[in-house]
Amino acid sequence: MSDTIERIKCLIIGSGPAGYTAAIYAARADMKPVMYTGMEPGGQLTTTTEVDNFPGYPEGIDGPKMMMDLQQQAERFGTQVRIGMITEVDFSKEVGGIHKALVDNKTWIEAETVIISTGATAKYLGLPSEQKLRGGGVSACAVCDGFFYKGQDVAIVGGGDTAAEEATYLANICNKVTMLVRKDYMKASKAMQHRVETTKNIDLRYNTEVDEILGEQVVEGLRMVNNQTGEKEEIDITGFFVAIGHKPNTDIFKGWLDMDETGYVITESKTTRTNIPGVFASGDVQDKVYRQAITAAGTGCMAALDAERYLAEIDIEEDIQKPQTRPETV
């Protein structure tokens, strides 16, 4: 452990669109932000080949290139981007208190404000072929990548509201959508089930699991297996979508921050404030509804503005509490 503890105004944990947008705004407000990138610098977009739905890129942009652009913009205004992972936190529950964070299990850093932008990780099936073909037709976001499969045959796995919503989204742009549900029923709401069942080009398969995703460089087909009969079937597809949920990256904040039953950070209505004064959450770590790069960036902006206002309020409070002295008279 280092004996010298660095103190900063603004610590940003995570380096996706939310973190970098927060950094841009915080740096421009002279908060001198320090960002720790985490294990996946740039976040989930670094695993995406083409980003077509982020404003400002009329021809689309490569995901890793977009994150490099955001990093350079944040650094242009003075953000310190550090490769490292926050492995433990010790938050102050007092207004104006100093928060502590442990970097890579060895060095503590102190911060007046903390912006959490650690995101959420999509759950995958765990098949080797699935991992091999990520970016080559395997995706965990139909809204992000569905456009590339317009007029083609695709498949999606999952039985909840997200899977049902993404299946109907794909059905609007794809020729055929094969939907695999592991059980003999869907967990989705009745309304969403009805939408799936009444969409003509969705082939709904109950009691069906993925046996293998076929293809060498890109997705070319899918081998399914009925988990009741053991019967296998192969179909031709060009895109495979996984919609079995996300896990927010919030483990180190448990016991400190208020979270919902699935681990997403709860923020105060229409703000990024958490239950800890001076700690703010932005991006997918607190958003399980939209989960888009642009919405993450928007909440990153909000978090930086909330942090700036918090520091201003602390300064005003300290000025009020300072003892007033009478000027000496001659």
Side-chain angles (χ1 to χ4, degrees):
M1 298 284 183
S2 173
D3 293 332
T4 304
I5 298 181
E6 179 185 11
R7 178 174 295 187
I8 60 176
K9 272 190 177 183
C10 180
L11 170 65
I12 299 174
I13 307 175
S15 56
Y20 277 125
T21 305
I24 291 166
Y25 275 80
R28 284 170 58 85
D30 200 30
M31 294 168 64
K32 299 176 175 60
V34 172
M35 170 189 285
Y36 281 91
T37 60
M39 291 183 64
E40 189 176 43
Q44 290 189 69
L45 280 187
T46 57
T47 65
T48 302
T49 52
E50 289 292 330
V51 179
D52 267 348
N53 55 4
F54 198 94
Y57 297 100
E59 302 300 323
I61 187 169
D62 181 71
K65 175 63 169 63
M66 176 180 163
M67 298 316 301
M68 288 177 60
D69 288 348
L70 287 174
Q71 178 177 343
Q72 290 170 6
Q73 188 174 0
E75 290 177 328
R76 172 188 164 203
F77 297 113
T79 301
Q80 289 188 45
V81 178
R82 301 177 181 176
I83 304 299
M85 186 170 181
I86 301 300
T87 51
E88 184 181 340
V89 295
D90 182 5
F91 291 151
S92 170
K93 297 183 180 180
E94 303 296 324
V95 174
I98 300 300
H99 307 295
K100 297 179 181 179
L102 186 63
V103 182
D104 295 328
N105 287 314
K106 60 183 180 181
T107 306
W108 285 97
I109 188 170
E110 295 182 342
E112 296 175 40
T113 60
V114 177
I115 296 175
I116 297 168
S117 306
T118 48
T121 302
K123 295 178 181 178
Y124 285 89
L125 300 171
L127 297 170
S129 57
E130 174 191 52
Q131 296 304 310
K132 181 180 73 172
L133 294 171
R134 282 177 64 179
V138 172
S139 169
C141 182
V143 176
C144 308
D145 300 326
F147 176 81
F148 300 112
Y149 304 93
K150 189 173 182 179
Q152 302 175 41
D153 291 354
V154 300
I156 185 169
V157 59
D161 278 332
T162 298
E165 184 175 350
E166 294 202 341
T168 53
Y169 170 82
L170 290 168
N172 286 328
I173 57 177
C174 297
N175 179 56
K176 180 181 178 182
V177 179
T178 302
M179 184 174 184
L180 282 59
V181 180
R182 183 168 57 89
K183 297 183 178 180
D184 60 358
Y185 63 91
M186 294 177 66
K187 295 185 294 182
S189 65
K190 293 295 183 182
M192 291 305 300
Q193 290 184 47
H194 179 71
R195 284 179 61 185
V196 169
E197 291 166 352
T198 56
T199 302
K200 292 182 179 180
N201 61 334
I202 294 180
D203 180 12
L204 183 58
R205 305 287 191 100
Y206 289 110
N207 294 316
T208 304
E209 299 181 37
V210 178
D211 185 63
E212 198 72 69
I213 302 167
L214 308 175
E216 288 301 318
Q217 302 297 324
V218 296
V219 172
E220 297 175 0
L222 174 69
R223 185 164 62 240
M224 308 175 287
V225 58
N226 185 296
N227 56 30
Q228 299 297 304
T229 66
E231 182 182 355
K232 295 183 180 181
E233 179 185 353
E234 291 187 7
I235 60 173
D236 293 331
I237 60 170
T238 54
F240 179 78
F241 296 88
V242 186
I244 59 174
H246 288 72
K247 182 185 183 302
N249 302 319
T250 56
D251 287 350
I252 65 169
F253 308 115
K254 289 180 178 176
W256 292 104
L257 302 182
D258 290 343
M259 302 179 186
D260 68 10
E261 68 280 359
T262 52
Y264 285 88
V265 176
I266 296 173
T267 53
E268 292 183 21
S269 178
K270 297 183 179 180
T271 77
T272 62
R273 293 194 296 263
T274 69
N275 58 298
I276 299 290
V279 177
F280 309 89
S282 64
D284 289 6
V285 78
Q286 52 85 55
D287 171 25
K288 60 181 178 182
V289 178
Y290 301 104
R291 297 196 305 268
Q292 299 298 302
I294 188 62
T295 53
T299 56
C301 163
M302 292 166 59
L305 295 176
D306 285 342
E308 181 186 4
R309 289 165 184 164
Y310 170 81
L311 290 175
E313 290 167 2
I314 296 303
D315 288 341
I316 292 172
E317 193 67 29
E318 289 177 352
D319 287 342
I320 292 173
Q321 292 177 2
K322 285 180 182 177
Q324 301 296 315
T325 57
R326 291 173 177 266
E328 292 185 8
T329 57
V330 179

